[in-house]
Amino acid sequence: MPRDFIKSFRGWTISESNVGVAFIGAGIVAEMHGRAVAANPNAKLVGIYDPKTARAKAVARKFGGKVFGSFEEALDHPKVNAIHVLTPPERHREVALKSLRAGKHVLVEKPVAWRAADIKKLQAAATNANRICMPAHNYIYNPALRRAKRLIDEGKLGRISSLWVLHNIYHSEDVASRYGGVLRAVCVHHAYSLLYLLGGPLRLTATASCIHYQRLTCEDQAMIVCQMANGAIANLWCSFAAKDLTSDPWTVVYKVLGTDGGVTCSWNEAQFEDNRGPGWGLPCYEESFRHEIDHFINRCVLGGEQPLSTLGEALDALRIIEAAERSCRGRGGMETVDYKH
Ligand SMILES: NC(=O)c1ccc[n+]([C@@H]2O[C@H](COP(=O)([O-])OP(=O)(O)OC[C@H]3O[C@@H](n4cnc5c(N)ncnc54)[C@H](O)[C@@H]3O)[C@@H](O)[C@H]2O)c1
């Protein structure tokens, strides 16, 4: 991409050499977004807003950009073309809606929203504003998962019989308290990955428990077993409760098995010591953000393509989680997933 282009896209001009980005929220996940924006030659971090100013300052010191005094200041800044919504989920809708209405493209962290109505509002706002609103479903941007998807689509694996998504990343109660129960906070990754790889399940059963939290009352591990239309069974496991320290650890592992073959993707492929933040020493995790943000900036904002991860999938993922919650409340009963939008 030439560094001095002036591109007119849908009546909107990106001048100079970069897509200007603002982060709204400067917590843990801002580190991964900061690394990914810094690595993309077409993007520039213009600034950060967080009511906890010290956090915004720390991100600015590390990745550049200014500290905005308010969200509105970020929206009004002429060089900000795209907003990364990195607040807690209960603020996503408000921040993303205002950003779209101000003419910005939006990358919104997962889970996009707690309620289907909020996701639908974002769909309408993005259409009205003619702007991209892309859910940050980073795991599906990992090259290993893209390969699995290609092999499934090309029929190389034969008839798919099962999918396994195993997620064991220990979180202290302090870190976990930022997210709440794993069903909503983490299994959304499993749900959108399942939608990407195999499509939507017909029915599911789920169970959850709390093993290591002392103060928090939410679940720290959960299992969802899904029935697919072709008879395949998808097994979605998530735990913040324990590290797997065995000789063959499951950190985040995907396995797809079919009648003619299988694919395994494991975040254990590479690891290094970095305990300053959760998952920071797992390059596969970091790369999922890099590929996601490259996709958003290069292909969607600059290229005008529709995102690989859509608000429709965010809505379907929420429907899967809601069915899992109903199943847990009903002590593991089988629940139909309701995709009515
Ligand atoms: N995709 C992933 O793998 C991944 C990983 C971690 C977190 N997340 C998601 O990212 C989001 C943020 O998570 P986190 O771990 O950074 O949380 P965090 O609690 O560390 O940080 C959130 C930050 O947002 C700030 N904030 C709150 N309200 C705000 C507002 N109205 N405007 C601006 N800033 C505001 C808070 O002060 C805080 O600094 C959540 O939705 C979470 O689920 C995604």
Side-chain angles (χ1 to χ4, degrees):
M1 186 74 64
R3 293 192 58 79
D4 57 350
F5 68 97
I6 296 185
K7 183 173 173 102
S8 183
F9 170 55
R10 298 179 188 169
W12 171 72
T13 301
I14 301 169
S15 58
E16 301 172 2
S17 55
N18 299 103
V19 175
V21 171
F23 291 172
I24 306 302
I28 291 177
V29 85
E31 168 76 19
M32 290 294 147
H33 284 255
R35 292 186 194 180
V37 169
N40 183 314
N42 300 318
K44 185 177 173 59
L45 182 58
V46 178
I48 305 106
Y49 170 66
D50 191 307
K52 293 183 177 161
T53 309
R55 290 189 178 182
K57 280 185 181 161
V59 174
R61 258 196 314 276
K62 196 159 181 185
F63 298 109
K66 62 175 289 185
V67 172
F68 293 117
S70 67
F71 173 38
E72 287 67 30
E73 192 187 328
L75 288 184
D76 289 344
H77 196 288
K79 291 197 170 164
V80 172
N81 312 114
I83 300 280
H84 291 206
V85 182
L86 312 181
T87 63
E90 49 277 15
R91 300 262 76 84
H92 288 179
R93 183 192 79 147
E94 169 200 348
V95 174
L97 272 179
K98 283 187 178 162
S99 303
L100 289 166
R101 287 173 184 157
K104 313 297 181 186
H105 294 282
V106 170
L107 178 65
V108 53
E109 258 305 339
K110 66 80 203 160
V112 169
W114 296 133
R115 298 178 332 131
D118 290 344
I119 301 177
K120 290 181 193 173
K121 271 215 165 96
L122 289 178
Q123 283 177 315
T127 304
N128 288 341
N130 201 14
R131 293 289 180 264
I132 303 286
C133 183
M134 175 172 135
H137 291 172
N138 50 310
Y139 288 22
I140 66 167
Y141 292 90
N142 197 303
L145 226 62
R146 304 288 295 268
R147 182 203 301 135
K149 169 74 170 156
R150 176 176 66 77
L151 294 173
I152 293 167
D153 287 353
E154 290 173 354
K156 297 282 197 299
L157 309 184
R159 269 190 71 206
I160 302 303
S161 58
S162 64
L163 167 72
W164 306 82
V165 185
L166 307 167
H167 185 296
N168 286 285
I169 297 186
Y170 174 82
H171 280 327
S172 69
E173 210 161 346
D174 276 348
V175 170
S177 64
R178 298 170 186 233
Y179 304 122
V182 294
L183 263 178
R184 285 219 165 211
V186 188
C187 289
V188 61
H189 289 300
H190 301 58
Y192 70 65
S193 299
L194 168 62
L195 289 163
Y196 172 64
L197 291 170
L198 304 187
L202 299 178
R203 285 175 293 278
L204 59 77
T205 172
T207 186
S209 64
C210 179
I211 295 290
H212 96 101
Y213 298 154
Q214 301 294 315
R215 284 180 288 112
L216 298 173
T217 52
C218 51
E219 76 282 358
D220 57 18
Q221 53 180 17
M223 180 79 191
I224 308 173
V225 179
C226 304
Q227 290 183 355
M228 309 302 294
N230 76 337
I233 297 177
N235 307 275
L236 313 177
W237 164 256
C238 176
S239 178
F240 276 0
K243 279 182 200 170
D244 181 352
L245 297 175
T246 63
S247 59
D248 179 19
W250 299 343
T251 305
V252 174
V253 178
Y254 285 75
K255 191 181 279 287
V256 189
L257 294 176
T259 50
D260 297 341
V263 187
T264 301
C265 319
S266 169
W267 287 12
N268 295 325
E269 279 167 24
Q271 293 200 39
F272 57 86
E273 284 290 338
D274 186 346
N275 297 321
R276 290 169 302 158
W280 288 11
L282 294 169
C284 293
Y285 178 58
E286 181 176 339
E287 283 161 17
S288 71
F289 286 92
R290 289 193 184 217
H291 287 283
E292 167 195 75
I293 286 164
D294 286 353
H295 182 90
F296 176 63
I297 297 290
N298 302 345
R299 299 186 66 155
C300 301
V301 175
L302 291 172
E305 288 181 34
Q306 284 307 304
L308 182 65
S309 47
T310 66
L311 288 171
E313 278 143 15
L315 204 45
D316 288 347
L318 177 60
R319 298 304 194 194
I320 293 171
I321 301 301
E322 287 171 344
E325 288 173 336
R326 286 197 303 278
S327 177
C328 287
R329 282 197 299 273
R331 296 175 188 271
M334 188 61 77
E335 289 289 331
T336 300
V337 183
D338 177 6
Y339 295 105
K340 275 202 289 298
H341 287 175

